[in-house]
Amino acid sequence: MSKNEFLYLATVIFTLTFAIRASNNMLITTIPLISAYIFHFSSVLIGVLSSILSISSFISSFFVNSRLDNSRRRELFLISSATYAVVFPLFFVANCILIFILSFIAGFSLGILFPNIITLSGSLNDRKMSERMLALYTTALSLSLIISPGLESLILQRFSLREAFIFFSFLAFLVLFISLKVRFPESHERREISAKAREILFSPRFLAPFFNNLMYDIPFAFIEVFGGIYAIEYFHASYSMATFLFTLYFLTSFIGRALFTLRAPSNVFRIILLNVALSVIGLFLAFISFNVILYVISLLILGMPHGLTYPSSLVLIRRNFRDEERSAANSYFTGILMGLGGIVPIIMGGIVSLIGIRLSFLALTIVVIVFFSLFFIKQREIKNKESS
């Protein structure tokens, strides 16, 4: 691949990822606020609604995208881009019933878009350049998560929660425009990949990055749904301020991923150890926070493992799987994480109704330690198999 081709691919991946994640994050963080303060849903119902996005993404990524051949994958990718562009502005007029339907359709589209961008990012033959492209993909995610809540915070100073959807619809249409320029690499036949599904899903090669990501994916899902509500209820923050806090959270996430892009580490395990320590410290600080300043500090700390966990998991998948397995592995990985992201808000909504948001932060420290232990076990199995 020439330098110009590499730069073109990097530009397409970066811009497409930015537009998708910025608009998607707006959905994830704003729908709970609309549910709580316009529709007056209970904590459990807020969790259910937030879960629909993730559950429908899981269905499309795990059961549909993983079984497509190259030509059909591109067709569905374009259809999903168009559907997302049409559905997004309709959230402006959604009522308490329509918002469930729109959330399902938007989530289904995202379940097709995200794993294909990951596969495209890791498709280069050169391992170092491929891992840097994956890191660039995750950096675009973090940058979008800085700008998206910051922009929404400014919008909410003059406009309502509903009206914010109109402004972000531009990004949804940008997704469709850029998708027309995406070309997927050649892939093996669908039946060859499907036959290896069980082998992929239950192998330590898959479970190690999966447990690594769950170690922080569960706390992150909780923060996205209840982080803003926590600031409003406990520290009397405004809607604008509660949204702006996510910008600070994603700022350190972006810094971590930018460093990962500039110099992808050869020893990923050290990064994972750092993530564990920062996650436990940040969650405990959020638990003991008695004012918004301490809460901001906790979010700044928690942003770093958010930034480093996902790219380290993608690098592990890139290193663990052969080219003909990687597309399916990415689809299963993305789909399962999205599906669990749908279950987590429901479970956490129930836990919040029992023990409150503050104690839930403390409970999440246990989750981090448990999944790190599982990751460590599977990583040792991989090492033992390589040395035997």
Side-chain angles (χ1 to χ4, degrees):
M1 175 177 285
S2 67
K3 183 178 180 180
N4 289 337
E5 290 174 331
F6 178 84
L7 290 176
Y8 175 80
L9 179 61
T11 301
V12 169
I13 289 175
F14 187 90
T15 309
L16 181 60
T17 302
F18 179 89
I20 294 176
R21 192 64 179 101
S23 56
N24 169 236
N25 181 71
M26 188 269 179
L27 289 179
I28 293 173
T29 58
T30 306
I31 286 176
L33 296 179
I34 288 180
S35 303
Y37 302 110
I38 294 181
F39 299 141
H40 305 292
F41 289 168
S42 66
S43 295
V44 174
L45 199 54
I46 292 172
V48 171
L49 177 56
S50 299
S51 297
I52 287 179
L53 271 168
S54 297
I55 291 173
S56 59
S57 295
F58 162 73
I59 293 172
S60 59
S61 181
F62 190 92
F63 293 106
V64 179
N65 189 71
S66 64
R67 291 168 167 79
L68 294 177
D69 57 30
N70 192 52
S71 60
R72 293 188 178 182
R73 182 179 294 113
R74 171 168 167 73
E75 291 176 4
L76 189 57
F77 186 83
L78 292 176
I79 292 173
S80 298
S81 299
T83 301
Y84 186 66
V86 171
V87 165
F88 196 96
L90 295 180
F91 280 94
F92 168 66
V93 296
N95 56 28
C96 61
I97 297 176
L98 183 59
I99 196 169
F100 284 89
I101 300 173
L102 294 176
S103 295
F104 183 90
I105 297 174
F108 193 93
S109 301
L110 292 167
I112 300 298
L113 298 176
F114 275 121
N116 282 300
I117 299 175
I118 296 172
T119 299
L120 183 64
S121 301
S123 63
L124 303 181
N125 293 327
D126 184 273
R127 171 177 155 175
K128 183 178 179 181
M129 297 305 293
S130 185
E131 291 182 0
R132 291 185 68 180
M133 191 70 78
L134 286 170
L136 178 67
Y137 161 75
T138 62
T139 302
L141 293 176
S142 282
L143 182 62
S144 67
L145 296 177
I146 294 173
I147 296 178
S148 176
L151 177 60
E152 187 177 5
S153 178
L154 293 175
I155 292 172
L156 291 176
Q157 291 180 8
R158 291 178 173 268
F159 300 93
S160 68
L161 289 169
R162 285 182 177 275
E163 290 169 337
F165 286 101
I166 298 177
F167 291 91
F168 277 83
S169 294
F170 166 77
L171 293 174
F173 284 103
L174 182 61
V175 171
L176 174 59
F177 175 76
I178 301 174
S179 296
L180 297 173
K181 303 180 180 299
V182 172
R183 295 291 183 272
F184 293 107
E186 293 299 322
S187 62
H188 287 250
E189 291 298 322
R190 176 179 56 187
R191 59 178 176 272
E192 178 181 347
I193 295 298
S194 298
K196 296 183 178 180
R198 183 175 296 274
E199 176 185 338
I200 292 174
L201 289 171
F202 294 98
S203 68
R205 297 176 301 153
F206 181 85
L207 292 176
F210 174 64
F211 289 142
N212 174 56
N213 220 79
L214 276 187
M215 182 172 60
Y216 193 76
D217 202 54
I218 292 177
F220 174 54
F222 174 80
I223 291 170
E224 279 206 313
V225 175
F226 293 103
I229 297 174
Y230 186 53
I232 293 171
E233 296 295 330
Y234 285 78
F235 309 123
H236 309 293
S238 64
Y239 294 158
S240 178
M241 179 61 180
T243 304
F244 180 71
L245 291 179
F246 287 102
T247 297
L248 301 177
Y249 172 72
F250 291 123
L251 176 62
T252 50
S253 173
F254 170 75
I255 293 173
R257 289 182 177 178
L259 294 174
F260 205 106
T261 302
L262 295 174
R263 187 175 181 179
S266 57
N267 191 336
V268 180
F269 188 72
R270 293 178 182 176
I271 297 295
I272 294 171
L273 284 175
L274 176 64
N275 291 340
V276 175
L278 292 177
S279 297
V280 171
I281 293 171
L283 290 169
F284 184 76
L285 187 57
F287 162 66
I288 65 172
S289 293
F290 55 84
N291 59 36
V292 73
I293 295 177
L294 284 178
Y295 184 49
V296 167
I297 294 173
S298 73
L299 292 178
L300 290 172
I301 294 173
L302 289 168
M304 189 60 70
H306 172 268
L308 295 175
T309 298
Y310 189 49
S312 64
S313 296
L314 294 182
V315 166
L316 287 175
I317 290 178
R318 173 66 175 78
R319 295 178 182 180
N320 290 346
F321 289 96
R322 299 185 301 272
D323 291 345
E324 63 269 20
E325 299 175 312
R326 200 171 297 133
S327 178
N330 285 329
S331 292
Y332 292 139
F333 181 75
T334 303
I336 293 174
L337 288 178
M338 286 181 171
L340 290 175
I343 297 174
V344 168
I346 297 176
I347 297 174
M348 296 309 300
I351 293 175
V352 166
S353 66
L354 292 175
I355 65 176
I357 299 177
R358 186 183 293 277
L359 283 175
S360 297
F361 276 108
L362 183 62
L364 287 170
T365 61
I366 301 174
V367 173
V368 171
I369 295 172
V370 168
F371 281 110
F372 172 71
S373 300
L374 293 173
F375 160 78
F376 184 76
I377 292 171
K378 293 303 174 182
Q379 192 65 21
R380 287 195 64 180
E381 289 182 18
I382 295 175
K383 294 296 182 183
N384 292 335
K385 186 175 182 179
E386 290 176 349
S387 60
S388 60

